[in-house]
Amino acid sequence: LWSRWCDGRDAAARDRLLALHLPYAKTVAATYYGRRLHDEIEFDEYLQHARVGMLEALERFDPTRGVLFRTFAARRMHGAILDGLERATEKQQQIAVRVRLAR
């Protein structure tokens, strides 16, 4: 599947790869949702951001480097969730600004 996707950009291979790895996106989203400090943002938002991160990772992944896709994708999913949550509500945006100023 990876060679079909990376070499020929076969859409069917891409769809199959996504189907194989979408449950992992749900796992990553659930991990962040479980650590939340408030209930302002629904689980579906976390899941959507994780899925976007997975799609971005799929576009950039190079299987010849010897790294597992899930290891590679996890970093992008984490970033996508954090970036998405930061923009999700005005309160989250204010918190992010305070954190950046403190740094």
Side-chain angles (χ1 to χ4, degrees):
L1 287 174
W2 281 112
S3 64
R4 285 178 36 210
W5 167 241
C6 292
D7 296 340
R9 292 298 187 204
D10 181 327
R14 177 182 179 266
D15 292 345
R16 183 71 180 123
L17 287 165
L18 285 173
L20 287 171
H21 294 288
L22 279 178
Y24 183 61
K26 189 172 185 177
T27 299
V28 171
T31 300
Y32 272 87
Y33 188 74
R35 295 178 188 162
R36 72 192 183 285
L37 301 175
H38 55 76
D39 291 328
E40 292 177 359
I41 303 168
E42 296 181 18
F43 175 72
D44 287 342
E45 289 286 326
Y46 287 78
L47 181 56
Q48 182 64 23
H49 295 303
R51 288 175 174 169
V52 167
M54 178 169 282
L55 285 167
E56 292 171 353
L58 185 73
E59 294 293 327
R60 297 184 201 143
F61 183 64
D62 181 0
T64 63
R65 293 188 174 228
V67 176
L68 294 175
F69 174 70
R70 289 184 180 192
T71 303
F72 179 82
R75 299 291 289 173
R76 183 61 221 127
M77 286 189 288
H78 294 301
I81 290 170
L82 293 175
D83 291 345
L85 295 178
E86 182 179 303
R87 294 184 303 265
T89 66
E90 186 175 335
K91 178 181 174 182
Q92 291 303 115
Q93 290 173 4
Q94 291 174 4
I95 291 169
V97 167
R98 286 187 198 134
V99 168
R100 281 194 294 274
L101 289 173
R103 285 187 195 151

XYZ file of all heavy atoms in Angstrom:
848
model
N 0.821 -1.206 0.000
C 0.000 0.000 0.000
C 0.858 1.260 0.000
O 0.559 2.221 -0.715
C -0.936 0.019 1.220
C -2.113 -0.944 1.207
C -2.847 -0.910 2.536
C -3.055 -0.628 0.065
N 1.900 1.228 0.840
C 2.751 2.417 0.908
C 3.434 2.692 -0.419
O 3.515 3.852 -0.844
C 3.777 2.311 2.034
C 3.172 2.618 3.353
C 2.974 1.754 4.382
C 2.653 3.878 3.774
N 2.350 2.407 5.427
C 2.146 3.715 5.084
C 2.548 5.132 3.184
C 1.561 4.746 5.808
C 1.961 6.174 3.904
C 1.478 5.972 5.195
N 3.929 1.654 -1.080
C 4.604 1.897 -2.360
C 3.604 2.388 -3.402
O 3.922 3.272 -4.200
C 5.341 0.652 -2.837
O 4.439 -0.395 -3.096
N 2.390 1.844 -3.392
C 1.367 2.312 -4.338
C 1.017 3.775 -4.071
O 0.825 4.548 -5.014
C 0.118 1.447 -4.245
C 0.284 0.093 -4.888
C -0.928 -0.815 -4.785
N -2.199 -0.136 -4.877
C -3.307 -0.574 -4.260
N -3.279 -1.672 -3.521
N -4.435 0.086 -4.390
N 0.960 4.147 -2.826
C 0.630 5.531 -2.493
C 1.808 6.473 -2.775
O 1.658 7.494 -3.419
C 0.187 5.661 -1.042
C 0.133 7.075 -0.574
C 0.843 7.627 0.431
C -0.674 8.143 -1.092
N 0.546 8.960 0.566
C -0.391 9.304 -0.369
C -1.596 8.238 -2.139
C -0.992 10.532 -0.620
C -2.205 9.466 -2.387
C -1.898 10.585 -1.635
N 2.983 6.125 -2.297
C 4.140 7.020 -2.433
C 4.647 7.118 -3.873
O 5.041 8.189 -4.318
C 5.264 6.568 -1.510
S 4.858 6.772 0.228
N 4.639 5.994 -4.577
C 5.181 6.001 -5.934
C 4.179 6.511 -6.972
O 4.543 7.258 -7.865
C 5.651 4.600 -6.330
C 6.801 4.110 -5.473
O 7.476 4.963 -4.851
O 6.997 2.888 -5.399
N 2.936 6.092 -6.838
C 1.965 6.436 -7.870
C 0.816 7.297 -7.414
O -0.084 7.601 -8.195
N 0.799 7.679 -6.143
C -0.306 8.468 -5.585
C -1.657 7.822 -5.899
O -2.623 8.480 -6.266
C -0.276 9.916 -6.076
C 0.898 10.706 -5.547
C 0.820 10.787 -4.054
N 1.834 11.684 -3.510
C 2.290 11.594 -2.273
N 1.849 10.671 -1.474
N 3.176 12.428 -1.823
N -1.692 6.506 -5.715
C -2.899 5.715 -5.931
C -3.930 6.070 -4.857
O -3.711 5.836 -3.668
C -2.529 4.229 -5.874
C -3.695 3.300 -6.113
O -4.825 3.626 -5.740
O -3.458 2.216 -6.672
N -5.053 6.632 -5.272
C -6.078 7.081 -4.328
C -6.665 5.916 -3.534
O -6.983 6.071 -2.351
C -7.181 7.832 -5.070
N -6.800 4.768 -4.156
C -7.340 3.602 -3.449
C -6.395 3.159 -2.336
O -6.839 2.792 -1.241
C -7.595 2.461 -4.424
N -5.096 3.215 -2.596
C -4.110 2.859 -1.569
C -4.167 3.872 -0.424
O -4.096 3.490 0.749
C -2.713 2.812 -2.169
N -4.293 5.140 -0.764
C -4.403 6.195 0.257
C -5.626 5.954 1.138
O -5.541 6.017 2.362
C -4.500 7.556 -0.415
C -4.682 8.697 0.545
C -4.828 10.006 -0.249
N -5.019 11.128 0.609
C -6.208 11.618 0.957
N -7.311 11.060 0.509
N -6.295 12.661 1.750
N -6.755 5.675 0.508
C -7.982 5.432 1.269
C -7.837 4.223 2.188
O -8.293 4.236 3.328
C -9.165 5.232 0.325
C -9.536 6.497 -0.428
O -9.080 7.599 -0.033
O -10.279 6.384 -1.422
N -7.178 3.197 1.703
C -6.984 1.979 2.513
C -6.032 2.257 3.680
O -6.273 1.803 4.800
C -6.419 0.861 1.623
C -6.251 -0.435 2.336
C -7.592 -1.090 2.641
N -7.336 -2.335 3.334
C -7.827 -2.639 4.526
N -8.630 -1.814 5.137
N -7.525 -3.773 5.088
N -4.985 3.023 3.441
C -4.059 3.390 4.514
C -4.773 4.212 5.582
O -4.577 3.989 6.784
C -2.865 4.160 3.948
C -1.856 3.336 3.175
C -0.929 4.239 2.368
C -1.068 2.442 4.123
N -5.587 5.138 5.144
C -6.350 5.937 6.117
C -7.282 5.053 6.927
O -7.376 5.208 8.147
C -7.134 7.034 5.408
C -6.319 8.209 4.917
C -7.179 9.150 4.087
C -5.692 8.951 6.081
N -7.976 4.161 6.263
C -8.897 3.265 6.968
C -8.166 2.422 8.008
O -8.689 2.182 9.107
C -9.631 2.367 5.968
N -6.952 2.001 7.674
C -6.167 1.200 8.617
C -5.731 1.990 9.840
O -5.617 1.444 10.937
C -4.918 0.644 7.920
C -5.139 -0.483 6.931
C -3.848 -0.763 6.161
C -5.601 -1.739 7.658
N -5.477 3.281 9.655
C -4.893 4.072 10.730
C -5.862 5.014 11.446
O -5.498 5.586 12.477
C -3.694 4.858 10.197
C -2.571 3.974 9.770
N -1.773 3.293 10.669
C -2.131 3.617 8.540
C -0.887 2.576 10.014
N -1.078 2.754 8.723
N -7.082 5.176 10.942
C -8.031 6.063 11.615
C -8.347 5.653 13.059
O -8.524 6.518 13.905
C -9.312 6.211 10.800
C -9.213 7.214 9.662
C -10.517 7.249 8.871
C -8.853 8.600 10.146
N -8.403 4.368 13.368
C -8.613 4.018 14.785
C -7.507 4.570 15.697
O -7.765 4.917 16.851
C -8.627 2.486 14.789
C -9.098 2.130 13.413
C -8.482 3.177 12.515
N -6.305 4.679 15.187
C -5.219 5.250 15.987
C -5.456 6.735 16.235
O -5.170 7.245 17.323
C -3.870 5.016 15.307
C -2.707 5.516 16.126
C -2.461 5.002 17.392
C -1.873 6.510 15.646
C -1.399 5.471 18.156
C -0.810 6.976 16.396
C -0.588 6.459 17.650
O 0.462 6.933 18.412
N -6.004 7.432 15.245
C -6.337 8.846 15.440
C -7.362 8.988 16.563
O -7.285 9.916 17.374
C -6.873 9.462 14.151
N -8.290 8.072 16.632
C -9.293 8.098 17.706
C -8.636 7.863 19.063
O -8.988 8.503 20.046
C -10.378 7.055 17.438
C -11.543 7.159 18.375
C -12.666 6.239 17.949
C -13.877 6.442 18.828
N -15.011 5.623 18.388
N -7.653 6.987 19.098
C -6.931 6.713 20.338
C -6.174 7.952 20.814
O -6.210 8.303 21.997
C -5.948 5.540 20.147
O -6.691 4.382 19.779
C -5.144 5.266 21.394
N -5.500 8.624 19.884
C -4.754 9.835 20.230
C -5.721 10.916 20.711
O -5.476 11.570 21.729
C -3.912 10.326 19.025
C -3.303 11.695 19.303
C -2.828 9.313 18.705
N -6.828 11.094 20.002
C -7.824 12.092 20.400
C -8.389 11.770 21.785
O -8.551 12.674 22.622
C -8.948 12.155 19.373
N -8.652 10.504 22.042
C -9.203 10.099 23.341
C -8.208 10.360 24.469
O -8.608 10.735 25.576
C -9.593 8.620 23.302
N -6.940 10.185 24.195
C -5.916 10.457 25.205
C -5.940 11.930 25.609
O -5.938 12.255 26.797
C -4.521 10.075 24.671
O -4.523 8.680 24.358
C -3.440 10.373 25.682
N -5.983 12.811 24.625
C -6.043 14.243 24.927
C -7.365 14.619 25.587
O -7.392 15.429 26.514
C -5.829 15.076 23.654
C -4.377 15.340 23.412
C -3.600 14.439 22.709
C -3.770 16.474 23.919
C -2.257 14.665 22.503
C -2.426 16.710 23.720
C -1.679 15.804 23.015
O -0.344 16.032 22.827
N -8.439 14.039 25.119
C -9.752 14.334 25.700
C -9.798 13.891 27.163
O -10.356 14.587 28.007
C -10.844 13.639 24.888
C -12.238 14.033 25.293
C -12.751 15.275 24.942
C -13.047 13.170 26.017
C -14.034 15.643 25.315
C -14.331 13.523 26.383
C -14.820 14.767 26.027
O -16.088 15.128 26.405
N -9.182 12.776 27.452
C -9.147 12.285 28.824
C -8.355 13.174 29.765
O -8.580 13.174 30.966
N -7.439 13.949 29.232
C -6.600 14.844 30.039
C -7.157 16.266 30.127
O -6.520 17.139 30.719
C -5.199 14.928 29.439
C -4.446 13.641 29.470
C -3.097 13.828 28.811
N -2.414 12.562 28.667
C -1.412 12.351 27.848
N -0.963 13.331 27.077
N -0.841 11.180 27.767
N -8.309 16.499 29.508
C -8.855 17.861 29.460
C -9.142 18.385 30.865
O -9.402 17.621 31.785
C -10.105 17.903 28.599
C -11.314 17.243 29.249
C -12.442 17.058 28.261
N -13.609 16.491 28.883
C -13.750 15.222 29.250
N -12.766 14.374 29.061
N -14.856 14.801 29.817
N -9.090 19.686 30.981
C -9.334 20.331 32.272
C -10.731 20.927 32.356
O -11.135 21.393 33.417
C -8.282 21.419 32.510
C -6.833 20.923 32.515
C -5.879 22.097 32.632
C -6.617 19.928 33.642
N -11.438 20.945 31.255
C -12.798 21.504 31.227
C -13.585 20.797 30.123
O -13.032 20.047 29.325
C -12.757 23.010 30.976
C -12.009 23.372 29.731
N -12.535 23.221 28.469
C -10.757 23.839 29.546
C -11.657 23.602 27.570
N -10.549 23.971 28.198
N -14.884 21.061 30.093
C -15.751 20.395 29.120
C -16.246 21.340 28.028
O -17.284 21.100 27.422
C -16.955 19.780 29.836
C -16.563 18.606 30.711
O -15.614 17.898 30.354
O -17.210 18.412 31.763
N -15.504 22.399 27.749
C -15.933 23.371 26.741
C -15.883 22.814 25.328
O -16.615 23.256 24.455
C -15.052 24.615 26.793
C -15.216 25.434 28.040
C -14.272 26.627 28.070
O -13.477 26.799 27.124
O -14.336 27.382 29.038
N -15.001 21.876 25.080
C -14.791 21.364 23.727
C -15.171 19.884 23.702
O -14.705 19.097 24.519
C -13.321 21.571 23.299
C -12.971 23.057 23.401
C -13.092 21.047 21.891
C -11.510 23.357 23.278
N -15.996 19.515 22.734
C -16.477 18.143 22.634
C -15.416 17.207 22.042
O -14.506 17.657 21.350
C -17.728 18.098 21.763
C -18.890 18.863 22.367
C -20.127 18.788 21.489
O -20.203 17.896 20.619
O -21.007 19.621 21.690
N -15.600 15.925 22.310
C -14.663 14.916 21.817
C -14.518 14.967 20.302
O -13.425 14.777 19.769
C -15.088 13.513 22.248
C -14.221 12.447 21.653
C -12.922 12.262 22.103
C -14.683 11.647 20.618
C -12.102 11.290 21.549
C -13.874 10.672 20.051
C -12.584 10.495 20.524
N -15.612 15.216 19.594
C -15.558 15.247 18.127
C -14.562 16.276 17.606
O -13.964 16.082 16.539
C -16.940 15.513 17.539
C -17.861 14.313 17.666
O -17.349 13.193 17.892
O -19.085 14.484 17.534
N -14.369 17.374 18.327
C -13.378 18.376 17.931
C -11.963 17.796 18.035
O -11.136 17.977 17.145
C -13.487 19.627 18.802
C -14.713 20.447 18.537
C -14.629 21.207 17.236
O -13.529 21.636 16.853
O -15.676 21.359 16.592
N -11.699 17.119 19.128
C -10.400 16.470 19.317
C -10.157 15.461 18.188
O -9.073 15.416 17.605
C -10.343 15.735 20.656
C -10.236 16.615 21.864
C -11.341 17.292 22.377
C -9.029 16.750 22.538
C -11.243 18.082 23.509
C -8.914 17.535 23.677
C -10.030 18.204 24.151
O -9.910 18.989 25.263
N -11.180 14.659 17.905
C -11.064 13.631 16.873
C -10.829 14.258 15.505
O -9.987 13.773 14.734
C -12.317 12.758 16.858
C -12.343 11.615 15.861
C -11.146 10.693 16.042
C -13.647 10.843 15.990
N -11.545 15.319 15.199
C -11.366 15.968 13.901
C -9.939 16.499 13.734
O -9.329 16.336 12.676
C -12.374 17.100 13.727
C -12.298 17.789 12.393
C -12.637 16.869 11.219
O -13.315 15.865 11.372
N -12.132 17.206 10.058
N -9.407 17.117 14.765
C -8.035 17.631 14.692
C -7.023 16.492 14.534
O -6.051 16.620 13.775
C -7.700 18.480 15.918
C -8.509 19.726 16.002
N -8.547 20.678 15.009
C -9.327 20.187 16.969
C -9.339 21.663 15.355
N -9.837 21.386 16.545
N -7.252 15.386 15.225
C -6.352 14.230 15.090
C -6.409 13.678 13.666
O -5.372 13.323 13.093
C -6.728 13.151 16.098
N -7.583 13.615 13.091
C -7.720 13.117 11.724
C -7.025 14.029 10.716
O -6.388 13.558 9.780
C -9.192 12.960 11.362
C -9.850 11.788 12.064
C -11.316 11.729 11.780
N -11.922 10.526 12.342
C -13.225 10.315 12.415
N -14.066 11.230 11.943
N -13.688 9.209 12.937
N -7.152 15.327 10.921
C -6.464 16.275 10.036
C -4.951 16.065 10.141
O -4.245 16.038 9.130
C -6.853 17.730 10.373
C -5.922 18.725 9.696
C -8.303 17.990 9.986
N -4.459 15.914 11.362
C -3.033 15.651 11.553
C -2.590 14.373 10.864
O -1.507 14.311 10.273
N -3.434 13.346 10.920
C -3.098 12.087 10.264
C -3.034 12.271 8.746
O -2.120 11.764 8.088
C -4.095 10.997 10.606
C -3.792 9.697 9.893
S -4.747 8.332 10.496
C -3.817 7.988 11.987
N -3.979 13.001 8.188
C -3.958 13.266 6.741
C -2.698 14.019 6.335
O -2.074 13.701 5.317
C -5.187 14.073 6.337
C -6.501 13.313 6.288
C -7.671 14.282 6.180
C -6.497 12.340 5.134
N -2.321 15.012 7.129
C -1.102 15.768 6.843
C 0.127 14.864 6.917
O 1.028 14.962 6.085
C -0.964 16.942 7.812
C -2.006 18.011 7.598
C -2.003 19.068 8.689
O -1.287 18.917 9.701
O -2.746 20.052 8.519
N 0.152 13.995 7.903
C 1.278 13.069 8.050
C 1.341 12.100 6.871
O 2.433 11.785 6.382
C 1.161 12.305 9.365
N 0.195 11.640 6.414
C 0.158 10.709 5.292
C 0.769 11.342 4.042
O 1.479 10.679 3.280
C -1.280 10.282 5.007
C -1.461 9.223 3.942
C -1.005 7.870 4.467
C -2.901 9.152 3.506
N 0.536 12.617 3.855
C 1.077 13.318 2.686
C 2.606 13.429 2.742
O 3.261 13.481 1.716
C 0.471 14.718 2.577
C -1.007 14.729 2.283
C -1.346 14.199 0.905
O -0.550 14.397 -0.030
O -2.407 13.568 0.767
N 3.170 13.475 3.936
C 4.614 13.714 4.088
C 5.429 12.464 4.417
O 6.656 12.507 4.407
C 4.841 14.715 5.220
C 4.256 16.053 4.948
C 4.604 17.002 6.065
N 3.662 18.100 6.069
C 3.192 18.680 7.130
N 3.594 18.296 8.322
N 2.345 19.668 7.045
N 4.769 11.385 4.748
C 5.466 10.196 5.230
C 6.337 9.565 4.148
O 5.939 9.436 2.993
C 4.454 9.172 5.731
C 5.073 7.939 6.317
C 5.842 8.013 7.468
C 4.908 6.714 5.717
C 6.421 6.876 8.019
C 5.475 5.573 6.254
C 6.234 5.658 7.409
N 7.531 9.146 4.546
C 8.463 8.443 3.664
C 8.796 7.090 4.302
O 9.586 7.021 5.247
C 9.738 9.267 3.478
C 10.747 8.603 2.560
O 10.478 7.488 2.059
O 11.817 9.202 2.359
N 8.185 6.017 3.810
C 8.398 4.701 4.424
C 9.828 4.176 4.285
O 10.209 3.257 5.002
C 7.401 3.802 3.696
C 7.087 4.491 2.427
C 7.266 5.954 2.676
N 10.624 4.764 3.416
C 11.996 4.281 3.239
C 12.897 4.683 4.397
O 14.015 4.189 4.506
C 12.600 4.803 1.922
O 12.690 6.229 1.974
C 11.762 4.369 0.724
N 12.446 5.548 5.261
C 13.273 5.997 6.389
C 13.276 5.022 7.564
O 13.977 5.236 8.543
C 12.825 7.371 6.863
C 13.092 8.422 5.819
C 12.822 9.774 6.370
N 13.216 10.775 5.397
C 13.943 11.816 5.681
N 14.363 12.013 6.908
N 14.249 12.690 4.750
N 12.459 4.002 7.492
C 12.470 2.976 8.530
C 11.731 3.335 9.805
O 11.962 2.729 10.842
N 10.853 4.297 9.732
C 10.061 4.715 10.891
C 8.630 4.228 10.682
O 8.111 4.285 9.568
C 10.071 6.257 11.032
C 9.183 6.718 12.162
C 11.478 6.758 11.197
N 7.995 3.782 11.742
C 6.596 3.384 11.637
C 5.723 4.603 11.374
O 5.969 5.692 11.916
C 6.134 2.713 12.930
C 6.763 1.379 13.282
C 6.277 0.919 14.650
C 6.424 0.345 12.225
N 4.693 4.418 10.560
C 3.811 5.539 10.244
C 3.166 6.106 11.503
O 3.077 7.321 11.667
C 2.726 5.129 9.242
C 1.730 6.228 9.015
C 2.097 7.384 8.334
C 0.441 6.130 9.500
C 1.198 8.414 8.137
C -0.467 7.144 9.303
C -0.092 8.296 8.616
N 2.723 5.247 12.386
C 2.049 5.745 13.595
C 2.984 6.589 14.455
O 2.563 7.570 15.050
C 1.465 4.591 14.400
C 0.276 3.996 13.696
C -0.376 2.920 14.492
N -1.515 2.406 13.731
C -2.433 1.628 14.226
N -2.368 1.246 15.480
N -3.426 1.214 13.478
N 4.235 6.229 14.504
C 5.211 7.026 15.249
C 5.358 8.396 14.593
O 5.364 9.418 15.274
C 6.574 6.306 15.277
O 6.400 5.011 15.843
C 7.595 7.093 16.074
N 5.466 8.396 13.274
C 5.589 9.640 12.526
C 4.325 10.484 12.657
O 4.385 11.688 12.916
C 5.856 9.308 11.052
C 5.975 10.504 10.162
C 7.173 11.200 10.082
C 4.903 10.926 9.395
C 7.293 12.308 9.257
C 5.016 12.022 8.566
C 6.210 12.718 8.498
N 3.172 9.860 12.502
C 1.900 10.573 12.510
C 1.537 11.103 13.895
O 0.864 12.139 14.005
C 0.784 9.668 11.994
N 1.971 10.426 14.933
C 1.611 10.843 16.296
C 2.036 12.277 16.572
O 1.269 13.064 17.143
C 2.221 9.898 17.319
N 3.231 12.637 16.153
C 3.721 14.006 16.388
C 2.830 15.032 15.700
O 2.503 16.059 16.259
C 5.159 14.150 15.897
C 6.158 13.236 16.574
C 6.407 13.589 17.992
N 7.165 14.830 18.060
C 7.427 15.472 19.164
N 6.999 15.004 20.301
N 8.106 16.574 19.151
N 2.446 14.749 14.461
C 1.606 15.692 13.723
C 0.202 15.747 14.316
O -0.412 16.807 14.393
C 1.555 15.305 12.237
C 0.787 16.252 11.394
C 1.427 17.673 11.425
N 0.397 18.672 11.493
C 0.311 19.653 12.401
N 1.216 19.812 13.329
N -0.675 20.489 12.390
N -0.316 14.600 14.752
C -1.652 14.591 15.367
C -1.650 15.374 16.667
O -2.573 16.146 16.936
C -2.134 13.163 15.590
C -2.558 12.484 14.309
S -3.377 10.908 14.578
C -1.998 9.902 15.087
N -0.611 15.196 17.473
C -0.513 15.949 18.728
C -0.501 17.444 18.435
O -1.219 18.215 19.064
C 0.748 15.566 19.504
C 0.753 14.157 20.006
N -0.203 13.655 20.855
C 1.611 13.136 19.771
C 0.064 12.385 21.126
N 1.151 12.046 20.475
N 0.313 17.843 17.472
C 0.388 19.254 17.111
C -0.929 19.785 16.578
O -1.347 20.894 16.904
N -1.596 18.989 15.748
C -2.875 19.412 15.171
C -3.928 19.579 16.260
O -4.728 20.534 16.225
C -3.344 18.402 14.125
N -3.943 18.687 17.223
C -4.903 18.800 18.327
C -4.614 20.060 19.143
O -5.518 20.851 19.416
C -4.876 17.538 19.217
C -5.461 16.347 18.463
C -5.646 17.776 20.521
C -5.259 15.017 19.150
N -3.373 20.240 19.524
C -3.024 21.402 20.339
C -3.288 22.711 19.602
O -3.845 23.659 20.178
C -1.574 21.318 20.795
C -1.262 20.183 21.766
C 0.232 20.130 22.058
C -2.063 20.314 23.049
N -2.913 22.769 18.328
C -3.167 23.974 17.535
C -4.666 24.230 17.395
O -5.138 25.363 17.514
C -2.547 23.861 16.143
C -1.037 23.895 16.158
O -0.449 24.284 17.192
O -0.432 23.529 15.131
N -5.407 23.175 17.135
C -6.857 23.310 16.971
C -7.552 23.737 18.242
O -8.452 24.584 18.219
N -7.134 23.174 19.364
C -7.749 23.542 20.637
C -7.438 24.980 21.003
O -8.273 25.686 21.578
C -7.283 22.604 21.756
C -7.719 21.149 21.621
C -7.152 20.338 22.775
C -9.232 21.038 21.571
N -6.243 25.409 20.647
C -5.849 26.787 20.940
C -6.773 27.773 20.236
O -7.089 28.824 20.766
C -4.409 27.011 20.499
C -3.891 28.392 20.792
C -2.452 28.559 20.366
O -1.610 27.780 20.843
O -2.187 29.460 19.552
N -7.225 27.420 19.059
C -8.086 28.310 18.283
C -9.571 28.051 18.506
O -10.409 28.763 17.952
C -7.775 28.163 16.797
C -6.380 28.633 16.421
C -6.152 28.564 14.920
N -6.353 27.230 14.375
C -5.393 26.339 14.163
N -4.154 26.633 14.458
N -5.657 25.163 13.647
N -9.921 27.048 19.292
C -11.311 26.612 19.402
C -12.224 27.614 20.111
O -13.370 27.791 19.728
C -11.383 25.257 20.107
N -11.734 28.239 21.133
C -12.564 29.190 21.872
C -11.741 30.423 22.208
O -10.514 30.385 22.232
C -13.086 28.585 23.197
O -11.977 28.344 24.069
C -13.856 27.294 22.973
N -12.424 31.493 22.489
C -11.724 32.723 22.850
C -10.927 32.529 24.143
O -9.808 33.023 24.272
C -12.715 33.871 23.022
C -12.037 35.204 23.261
C -13.027 36.352 23.308
O -14.109 36.247 22.734
O -12.688 37.365 23.946
N -11.484 31.773 25.058
C -10.782 31.505 26.319
C -9.461 30.790 26.053
O -8.424 31.156 26.605
C -11.672 30.654 27.229
C -11.031 30.286 28.545
C -11.974 29.429 29.368
C -11.320 28.937 30.619
N -12.213 28.064 31.393
N -9.493 29.780 25.178
C -8.278 29.039 24.849
C -7.262 29.943 24.166
O -6.063 29.818 24.398
C -8.615 27.844 23.956
C -9.384 26.748 24.657
C -8.656 26.219 25.864
O -9.105 26.364 26.989
N -7.533 25.595 25.655
N -7.716 30.856 23.330
C -6.808 31.785 22.667
C -6.130 32.690 23.687
O -4.935 32.960 23.597
C -7.569 32.615 21.632
C -8.017 31.821 20.444
C -8.914 32.609 19.497
O -9.142 33.796 19.690
N -9.421 31.941 18.479
N -6.884 33.149 24.677
C -6.310 34.008 25.716
C -5.285 33.257 26.556
O -4.226 33.789 26.887
C -7.417 34.566 26.600
C -8.292 35.570 25.891
C -9.482 36.010 26.731
O -9.620 35.619 27.889
N -10.343 36.813 26.140
N -5.593 32.010 26.866
C -4.647 31.186 27.632
C -3.360 30.997 26.836
O -2.256 31.121 27.384
C -5.277 29.819 27.992
C -6.397 30.019 29.019
C -4.222 28.850 28.506
C -7.254 28.785 29.237
N -3.483 30.729 25.543
C -2.304 30.523 24.696
C -1.446 31.785 24.628
O -0.215 31.709 24.670
C -2.737 30.103 23.296
N -2.088 32.939 24.558
C -1.339 34.203 24.523
C -0.584 34.392 25.839
O 0.588 34.768 25.843
C -2.285 35.398 24.247
C -1.592 36.720 24.515
C -2.779 35.339 22.811
N -1.231 34.115 26.948
C -0.565 34.251 28.258
C 0.630 33.319 28.375
O 1.680 33.700 28.895
C -1.557 33.973 29.385
C -2.533 35.076 29.600
C -3.378 34.829 30.833
N -4.556 35.661 30.784
C -5.787 35.256 31.032
N -5.991 34.006 31.390
N -6.786 36.072 30.958
N 0.476 32.109 27.890
C 1.584 31.140 27.949
C 2.751 31.629 27.098
O 3.898 31.577 27.520
C 1.097 29.736 27.497
C 2.279 28.807 27.271
C 0.136 29.155 28.515
N 2.461 32.122 25.892
C 3.527 32.623 25.025
C 4.220 33.835 25.653
O 5.439 33.968 25.576
C 2.975 32.969 23.643
C 2.772 31.757 22.759
C 2.551 32.134 21.316
N 1.321 32.863 21.084
C 0.124 32.312 20.863
N 0.009 30.999 20.860
N -0.932 33.045 20.657
N 3.455 34.713 26.256
C 4.043 35.886 26.911
C 4.921 35.484 28.098
O 5.968 36.074 28.334
C 2.956 36.862 27.360
C 2.243 37.620 26.242
C 1.072 38.431 26.812
C 3.205 38.520 25.496
N 4.482 34.491 28.830
C 5.255 34.020 29.982
C 6.592 33.410 29.541
O 7.589 33.530 30.250
C 4.452 32.990 30.771
N 6.585 32.775 28.380
C 7.836 32.186 27.866
C 8.783 33.290 27.461
O 9.938 33.237 27.493
C 7.558 31.300 26.665
C 6.939 29.988 27.072
C 6.836 29.091 25.857
N 5.926 28.003 26.170
C 5.181 27.379 25.289
N 5.201 27.732 24.026
N 4.396 26.397 25.640
